[in-house]
Amino acid sequence: MNSIAQTLQHLLGDTLGWALWKLLLVVAIVVPLTIFVAYVTFAERKILGYMHARLGANRVGPKGLLQPFADLLKFVFKELLTPTKTSTGVFYIAPLIILACALLVWAVIPFNATTVFANVNASLLFVVAISSLGIYGIILAGWSGNSKYSFLGGVRATAQMISYELAMGFALVGVLMVSGSLNLGEIVKAQSSGMLGGSILSWNWIPLFPFFLVYVISGVAETNRAPFDVCEGESEIVAGFFVEYSGTSFALFMLAEYVNMITISAMASLMFLGGWLSPFPKSWGFVGNESFVWLLLKVCILLFGFIWYRATFPRYRYDQIMRLGWKVFLPITLIWIFVLGAWMVSPLSIWK
Amino acid sequence: MVTSVFFYLFATILILSALRVITAKNPVHAVLFLVLTFVTSSCLWLMLNVEFLALSLILVYVGAVMVLFLFVVMMLDIDTETIRNGFWKNFPLALLLGLVILTEMVIVLVTKPIVITGSAPPVYPSVSNGIQLGWLMYTEYSYPVELASMVLLLGLVVAVALTLRKTNKNGKYQNISQQVNTESKGRVKMVKMKPVIAKSMVVEEGDSK
């Protein structure tokens, strides 16, 4: 890997070669991520299909495996419509903001103990800060659509995302307390040690179970997925904030939604499920080794959960969503932070 | 070299977007330029290696405060023409205020900095920025931090007290916990009874042709 960087720097000079190398790394992250998104959409259609006792997409390619690309082609060849009297610049920038924020987070997400694009000190804070910027895309899309439906959808989405961000932030505070670092790699490393070190029992999800639960449920609300998808509640406001979008700009919204789902799953697996650590003890040899495959497996399990909730739960009423965020999750996390603090300084602490 | 190129790039964007905040006709656009100003100043802070402050600026101001601000501005549905009507009437006052602020800034810039006596807080260059800040906030400056948090809490309580109007008897409220906790027993009453058939409904056998 480093030899490629050195060759590039040798050929193009230090700065330019370095920039080109980083650009190549970005492509190496974004392209597999996009293909993963394509197959998450396909998996969603198939899983939902089987849960509804039907077959799902099975026409394009063997077993329907080329379906996501057929969808993409259809999006690309559709006409881009612009509503009248809209603020055109904002209208076209909004989906780009959402997608850029969704992808930017992946700059600091580690794939295993050594592979990470940018190993910054405060990577957890970076993820939270950047994903909070994604709201702008939604609110601007809702506003610039120049339609009552899309505006209502945008307003709903924003209020919901701001509310659940708080509960999510407090859940992260718990993780920070036990790992003592804002760096995602360090957080995973902290889970491999401790009193119960080295296996599934030492991961954060057992001592921090309330935070894990709050994080995953808030994650569903944060990505505006069912059962919290009131901002695109099609029975009330057609399709929410992206009513007025068509063609590729609509596809960007879809892409961003699924990238966000993967991000939330990856964050939950890194912070609570031990990331790339193996659930088995080190002495078991091959299956006990830490590897990227474990991270991928955990992400896939959590993504399956996302799809499962969609097939299972009916949509929440809007005031109930707000109540769940402010009156249930926020007090639970606040109280558990105090409990955790007391636990950590008591002789019973398992993190010393 | 690259660092100074980026510094001047960010500084230019910062100044231009700050100018557009006050010159943009559409108030929503003005708010968006304000957001851009915050983001670029956070980039400048990042270049100074104060990543914790830079990310908190994005998280708190851009991610929460400005979103609510944008929210309000969008809801207002401002007609830009009517606002422009009072422009020349308010111009002298605005000019005076602007001049006062400008003079103050110039005074601050040209005078020598006030030397603060007493020992400077300890700096630990080995640990990261966030840890240093947290360490100082909860040891050296814990009293002011607690005071500031009490002031914020007071503001929060007052805002809730001003907007909560439970005393209004005509208001309609839903008790969600009560709604969630309903059981079928409270809603449906199962009664055992024999079927009742009205006389006129009974069809005599043989009549059905």
Side-chain angles (χ1 to χ4, degrees), chain A residues 1 30 61 70 77 87 89 93 103 114 124 134 136 146 196 207 243 269 273 284 287 289-290 301 311 328 342-343 346:
Chain A
M1 293 283 268
V30 170
F77 285 109
S87 184
I93 287 173
L103 289 176
T114 49
L124 186 62
Y136 280 99
N146 204 13
L196 303 160
V243 179
S269 4
L273 300 177
W284 286 28
V287 288
N289 284 341
E290 51 187 59
I301 291 171
V328 180
W343 188 4
S346 76

Side-chain angles (χ1 to χ4, degrees), chain B residues 27-197:
Chain B
V28 173
H29 292 176
V31 174
L32 289 179
F33 278 114
L34 190 55
V35 170
L36 183 62
T37 318
F38 277 132
V39 173
T40 28
S41 53
S42 157
C43 291
L44 283 175
W45 285 7
L46 266 184
M47 291 180 73
L48 294 171
N49 286 328
V50 282
E51 74 273 357
F52 186 82
L53 278 182
L55 290 173
S56 326
L57 179 75
I58 289 196
L59 189 63
V60 176
Y61 281 93
V62 182
V65 175
M66 289 313 291
V67 170
L68 295 177
F69 209 72
L70 192 63
F71 218 75
V72 173
V73 171
M74 278 178 184
M75 299 281 216
L76 284 180
D77 195 20
I78 301 167
D79 185 18
T80 38
E81 288 305 308
T82 46
I83 288 182
R84 302 210 142 239
N85 284 342
F87 182 78
W88 289 111
K89 206 182 85 188
N90 293 324
F91 185 71
L93 183 64
L95 191 71
L96 186 70
L97 283 177
L99 278 177
V100 169
I101 293 172
L102 189 70
T103 346
E104 282 174 356
M105 283 164 82
V106 168
I107 290 171
V108 167
L109 285 177
V110 295
T111 50
K112 279 180 184 168
I114 303 162
V115 182
I116 300 165
T117 51
S119 59
V123 178
Y124 314 96
S126 57
V127 293
S128 82
N129 199 259
I131 294 176
Q132 276 186 39
L133 204 67
W135 187 258
L136 285 176
M137 266 171 66
Y138 289 100
T139 54
E140 192 94 356
Y141 300 107
S142 61
Y143 190 53
V145 168
E146 292 295 322
L147 271 181
S149 70
M150 289 314 282
V151 173
L152 284 175
L153 184 67
L154 191 70
L156 188 77
V157 172
V158 168
V160 171
L162 280 177
T163 48
L164 193 71
R165 299 218 174 105
K166 283 271 178 185
T167 48
N168 185 357
K169 288 277 182 262
N170 298 323
K172 288 176 180 166
Y173 299 102
Q174 286 170 331
N175 187 348
I176 300 180
S177 11
Q178 200 188 344
Q179 288 179 334
V180 171
N181 287 323
T182 47
E183 288 173 9
S184 58
K185 278 182 206 160
R187 296 283 174 88
V188 186
K189 196 179 172 191
M190 300 298 279
V191 189
K192 258 209 164 114
M193 59 181 293
K194 281 189 175 154
V196 180
I197 304 165

Side-chain angles (χ1 to χ4, degrees), chain A residues 77-275:
Chain A
F77 285 109
K78 278 206 164 186
E79 187 188 353
L80 273 181
L81 297 170
T82 317
T84 48
K85 281 195 181 174
T86 177
S87 184
T88 324
V90 178
F91 184 75
Y92 285 116
I93 287 173
L96 295 179
I97 293 178
I98 300 185
L99 185 65
C101 293
L103 289 176
L104 197 56
V105 170
W106 284 84
V108 296
I109 290 184
F111 299 99
N112 64 33
T114 49
T115 319
V116 53
F117 180 74
N119 194 8
V120 294
N121 271 331
S123 50
L124 186 62
L125 204 60
F126 181 86
V127 171
V128 180
I130 298 300
S131 42
S132 72
L133 287 185
I135 300 178
Y136 280 99
I138 292 182
I139 191 169
L140 291 177
W143 174 73
S144 64
N146 204 13
S147 141
K148 293 277 188 294
Y149 290 130
S150 70
F151 188 64
L152 276 176
V155 167
R156 283 182 177 192
T158 317
Q160 180 182 331
M161 284 171 86
I162 289 182
S163 313
Y164 278 88
E165 216 161 61
L166 282 172
M168 247 176 151
F170 278 118
L172 299 187
V173 169
V175 177
L176 292 188
M177 281 166 73
V178 298
S179 42
S181 172
L182 276 166
N183 184 296
L184 285 166
E186 296 288 320
I187 289 173
V188 175
K189 208 199 260 172
Q191 295 179 60
S192 68
S193 57
M195 222 168 74
L196 303 160
S199 70
I200 192 166
L201 295 173
S202 67
W203 298 348
N204 280 340
W205 71 285
I206 296 179
L208 303 183
F209 191 69
F211 289 137
F212 178 55
L213 218 59
V214 166
Y215 188 83
V216 171
I217 299 175
S218 311
V220 178
E222 192 83 346
T223 45
N224 296 323
R225 295 272 307 173
F228 302 108
D229 59 343
V230 284
C231 58
E232 48 186 274
E234 48 285 280
S235 54
E236 305 152 25
I237 47 174
V238 194
F241 54 89
F242 50 74
V243 179
E244 303 296 338
Y245 286 88
S246 60
T248 35
S249 52
F250 176 78
L252 290 184
F253 280 110
M254 286 287 117
L255 184 59
E257 182 185 329
Y258 284 92
V259 170
N260 278 330
M261 272 165 67
I262 298 171
T263 311
I264 297 280
S265 308
M267 289 292 289
S269 4
L270 287 170
M271 290 186 307
F272 297 99
L273 300 177

Side-chain angles (χ1 to χ4, degrees), chain A residues 111-112 200 203 265 269-270 273-281 284-302:
Chain A
F111 299 99
N112 64 33
I200 192 166
W203 298 348
S265 308
S269 4
L270 287 170
L273 300 177
W276 49 81
L277 302 173
S278 157
F280 305 113
W284 286 28
F286 183 67
V287 288
N289 284 341
E290 51 187 59
S291 89
F292 170 66
V293 181
W294 287 117
L295 180 63
L296 190 67
L297 202 67
K298 287 163 191 169
V299 169
C300 287
I301 291 171
L302 287 170

